[in-house]
Amino acid sequence: MHHQLAAARRAHFAYLGCMITIKQIVARARGRARTAAILFIGVLLVMTAMATAVIAAPTHTLTIQSTEQLQLSPKDEKSWFERGPWPLIGTGLTLIITNGIAVGLIYLQSSRSFNALLRQRKIEHLSASLNEFYNPLLALLDINKEIFDQTGPSSFPRDEDGHTAAALVWKETKKKILTNNAQIETILRTKTHLLEEADSLDAYHRLLVHVAMYETFQKVQTDLYKRFFFPTDIRPHVVSKREAVLEAYYQAIGEQI
C-alpha cells in the first residue's frame, strides 16, 4: 500500500512538472503548432490517467500459512461501484475530467495571449503607417504647396524690379521643393508596404512621375512639362486614407485597453 502511494505521488509530481512545461510550450506556439500541441496534451493526459490507474491497482497478494484454525468474520457487502473494475474506471474518469479542465484553461490562456499579440502587432503597423508614410507625405505636400503659392511664379509682382527680386527668391525656395520632392519619391519607393488596406500604389503614380519630371525640367525648359503637372487630387486622397488609418489605430488602442 505504501509503495502504491509513493508511486502515485511521484506520478503526480511528474505530471505537474509536465503540465507546467507543456503550458509554456502551448503559450508560445502559434497556429497549427498550437493545435498540434493541444492534441498532444490530450493524448498524454489519457495515457497518464491509464498509467495512474495501473499504479493504483493492487499488485501484491498476501498468503498466510498457519497450523491454527482461523476464524474469519463475515465479509461486508460492497456497493457496486466498489467492486470489480469500477474503482479503477472512476479514478481514470476523474483524472481525465480534471486534466480536460486543465487543457481548456491552457487553451484559453494561449488564445488570449495570441490575440493580444495580434492586436499589438496591428497597433505597431498602423502607427508606422501614420508616422512613416501618411504623416510625412502630407506634411511635404503642404509645405511644397505653401512655398509654391507664396514664392512661385504666380506670386510674382508685375513691375520689373519686383518681378526680378521675386524670381531670385523663387530660385532659392525652389531648391527646398526639390529636396522635399526627393523625400516624397523615397517614401513612395520604400514605404508602400504601409499603405492603408483600401489604398494602392496606383493612386500615387502621377505624383511619382511629377516629382521625377519636375527635377528634369529644371535643367531642360520645355513645354512637355505641361503633361506632368502636379496632381491636385492627391492631397484629398492622402487625407482620406490617413483618416482611415487613424480611425483604425484608435479602435485598436481601445480594444487593447
Side-chain angles (χ1 to χ4, degrees):
M1 182 64 178
H2 292 291
H3 173 73
Q4 295 172 12
L5 291 175
R9 290 193 188 98
R10 288 195 297 270
H12 179 67
F13 288 130
Y15 161 75
L16 291 178
C18 290
M19 288 299 292
I20 293 174
T21 303
I22 292 172
K23 182 178 180 180
Q24 295 175 350
I25 295 174
V26 173
R28 296 177 183 177
R30 296 292 178 266
R32 295 181 179 178
R34 183 177 60 176
T35 303
I38 292 175
L39 291 176
F40 173 74
I41 292 173
V43 175
L44 182 62
L45 294 178
V46 173
M47 294 177 64
T48 302
M50 296 174 62
T52 305
V54 172
I55 292 173
T59 58
H60 301 283
T61 59
L62 179 63
T63 303
I64 301 177
Q65 296 180 354
S66 175
T67 58
E68 298 180 0
Q69 184 177 2
L70 297 177
Q71 183 177 0
L72 301 177
S73 60
K75 185 178 180 181
D76 295 335
E77 185 69 19
K78 294 183 178 180
S79 302
W80 65 270
F81 55 83
E82 297 177 327
R83 299 194 303 265
W86 292 110
L88 296 181
I89 295 175
T91 302
L93 289 175
T94 301
L95 289 173
I96 291 174
I97 293 173
T98 304
N99 294 336
I101 294 174
V103 172
L105 293 176
I106 292 174
Y107 177 79
L108 289 176
Q109 182 176 359
S110 62
S111 298
R112 290 170 182 167
S113 300
F114 182 64
N115 291 334
L117 179 61
L118 288 180
R119 284 195 298 271
Q120 182 61 33
R121 289 185 176 178
K122 180 179 180 181
I123 291 172
E124 291 174 356
H125 176 78
L126 293 172
S127 178
S129 181
L130 288 171
N131 296 329
E132 299 179 27
F133 188 84
Y134 289 104
N135 285 350
L137 181 59
L138 182 60
L140 290 170
L141 292 175
D142 286 345
I143 291 172
N144 280 1
K145 183 178 185 304
E146 186 70 16
I147 292 174
F148 187 84
D149 290 344
Q150 298 298 326
T151 66
S154 60
S155 67
F156 287 4
R158 294 184 178 182
D159 62 283
E160 183 177 354
D161 293 337
H163 187 279
T164 302
L168 293 175
V169 173
W170 168 238
K171 182 178 180 180
E172 295 301 320
T173 56
K174 185 165 52 177
K175 296 178 182 178
K176 181 60 179 176
I177 292 181
L178 292 172
T179 300
N180 290 347
N181 282 350
Q183 295 184 43
I184 291 174
E185 185 175 4
T186 298
I187 292 173
L188 294 178
R189 290 185 182 277
T190 63
K191 301 295 183 178
T192 53
H193 61 284
L194 299 175
L195 288 174
E196 192 262 342
E197 294 180 356
D199 203 356
S200 66
L201 185 59
D202 292 339
Y204 302 90
H205 177 74
R206 289 194 301 148
L207 175 62
L208 190 59
V209 172
H210 167 77
V211 297
M213 299 306 295
Y214 186 79
E215 182 177 4
T216 300
F217 289 131
Q218 302 309 309
K219 303 173 183 177
V220 181
Q221 299 292 331
T222 173
D223 291 338
L224 292 176
Y225 177 67
K226 295 179 180 180
R227 301 179 183 177
F228 305 99
F229 279 168
F230 177 80
T232 56
D233 60 339
I234 191 64
R235 188 183 185 281
H237 176 82
V238 174
V239 171
S240 174
K241 298 305 177 183
R242 178 182 176 276
E243 290 177 352
V245 174
L246 195 60
E247 182 179 356
Y249 175 78
Y250 285 140
Q251 183 177 357
I253 289 291
E255 291 178 355
Q256 186 181 52
I257 295 175

